[in-house]
Amino acid sequence: MSVLAITVAAPHPGKRALTESRARQLGGIYARHGASVKLAKVVAGPNAGSIALIRGYADFRSASKAFQAVGADPANTEFWREREANPSADIVVVRNLLRVVYGENKWSTYPVSLLRGYDLARDKVADAMAILAEVSKLAAQADVNVIGVMPVTGENLSSLTVSYQFKSPDHFGEALDTVGASEEFQALVAKAAAFGSLKSAFLMTPL
């Protein structure tokens, strides 16, 4: 089971370039301590215009060790000192932890993500995983990678986020026009409504 940590920042007017530069700087610090790092722009949905810094780890032990190493790194201390002296963004999601409960994350080859968030009671997780397996099989026809993640920290712990991962923005559009609009996919969406309610969706592209 892999682990993700995500931080989302909304740039102040006129400070997007500085915020992006800082995101890359902080991502480099995390990468030096073992994280797989993805930098993305939220282009549609909640927090559109924000920048996401996502870190991936093999397991919670690896994540915990990395957090401690980053915290002790002088470069990280200096980064936050400079950020506090001259803020360029508001942090809207603060290092939330998530566990991957379905599928395999493939950032390097599928860098565009459509994330759909569902309210889901914990006793319905097994039912949701069964439907997610059907969704993944159907999405594979359009070469779309599917993963499911659930929060470990954050505000809404009774939730499931399904991430549809695409090779490019064009691939995203093509897949939605074909598989996403198909009767088979819509039937699975309706089936999933028996276990959880769709609350939000947003689109991320590489930074």
Side-chain angles (χ1 to χ4, degrees):
M1 176 181 62
S2 57
V3 176
L4 302 178
I6 181 169
T7 302
V8 179
H12 295 166
K15 292 192 174 182
R16 171 167 291 277
L18 177 57
T19 302
E20 291 183 357
S21 176
R22 285 177 169 172
R24 292 188 175 93
Q25 180 185 354
L26 188 57
I29 295 171
Y30 277 106
R32 287 200 300 272
H33 294 287
S36 171
V37 175
K38 177 179 180 178
L39 293 167
K41 298 176 288 186
V42 182
V43 298
N47 296 319
S50 296
I51 295 168
L53 170 58
I54 310 169
R55 289 84 71 200
Y57 304 94
D59 48 39
F60 284 107
R61 179 177 295 180
S62 300
S64 179
K65 288 182 177 180
F67 293 160
Q68 295 176 73
V70 169
D73 190 328
N76 183 65
T77 301
E78 179 62 17
F79 172 89
W80 289 104
R81 187 195 67 76
E82 293 180 1
R83 192 259 174 190
E84 290 174 4
N86 180 26
S88 66
D90 294 322
I91 299 177
V92 295
V93 176
V94 184
R95 203 168 73 178
N96 276 358
L97 285 174
L98 308 104
R99 57 191 177 101
V100 178
V101 295
Y102 180 87
E104 178 185 354
N105 203 15
K106 297 181 179 179
W107 288 338
S108 59
T109 49
Y110 296 83
V112 175
S113 299
L114 174 66
L115 299 100
R116 292 163 63 90
Y118 296 84
D119 279 348
L120 180 71
R122 291 300 173 113
D123 63 351
K124 301 298 184 183
V125 172
D127 296 315
M129 292 303 101
I131 294 176
L132 196 50
E134 295 183 62
V135 169
S136 181
K137 184 177 180 180
L138 185 60
Q141 296 177 15
D143 197 15
V144 177
N145 187 54
V146 177
I147 67 169
V149 300
M150 298 187 73
V152 177
T153 64
E155 295 182 353
N156 185 8
L157 298 182
S158 294
S159 64
L160 168 70
T161 297
V162 179
S163 176
Y164 298 89
Q165 299 181 330
F166 308 88
K167 293 183 175 180
S168 67
D170 285 343
H171 182 212
F172 160 75
E174 292 167 3
L176 260 65
D177 282 341
T178 54
V179 173
S182 69
E183 292 183 3
E184 294 88 347
F185 183 83
Q186 292 304 316
L188 289 174
V189 170
K191 189 177 179 180
F195 306 112
S197 56
L198 180 61
K199 293 298 183 181
S200 65
F202 58 98
L203 179 66
M204 294 195 307
T205 60
L207 181 63

